[in-house]
Amino acid sequence: DPGYQGAGHGIVVPFKQPADGNMLSVDNRARNALQRALRSLGERGFALLTERWTALQHTTLSPSRIGDLVRAALVLVHFEHRRIS
């Protein structure tokens, strides 16, 4: 994904497939698979939040307060999907 290029310190980017037609090593493929699995969980959670509560898409809270709103919405999503009672 070109959006990850030059992302900076602390951002883990997937290994690219070699241009010469060789395969990535087993370790690099495993790391990409683990990263893909974690990213899909995060993307699914974010999709649930933004689809259920469209107010989150248009919020103008400060960055220090947005976390409280997202945490509250996540609790409601967990309750709705019977993850908590």
Side-chain angles (χ1 to χ4, degrees):
D1 186 3
Y4 289 114
Q5 299 306 315
H9 180 71
I11 305 297
V12 180
V13 297
F15 287 103
K16 287 185 173 185
Q17 195 69 269
D20 59 3
N22 290 333
M23 294 286 292
L24 284 173
S25 71
V26 173
D27 291 337
N28 291 347
R29 283 185 284 163
R31 182 173 174 245
N32 282 354
L34 289 171
Q35 186 181 7
R36 189 170 44 249
L38 286 174
R39 187 175 59 235
S40 69
L41 291 174
E43 288 176 0
R44 172 69 176 145
F46 186 74
L48 281 173
L49 289 174
T50 55
E51 288 299 318
R52 299 291 183 178
W53 287 275
T54 56
L56 289 177
Q57 293 176 352
H58 305 290
T59 187
T60 58
L61 290 174
S62 69
S64 62
R65 298 279 304 158
I66 191 77
D68 296 335
L69 178 65
V70 171
R71 276 191 289 277
L74 185 59
V75 168
L76 292 173
V77 167
H78 282 168
F79 183 76
E80 183 180 22
H81 289 270
R82 292 177 171 70
R83 301 273 190 232
I84 59 174
S85 56

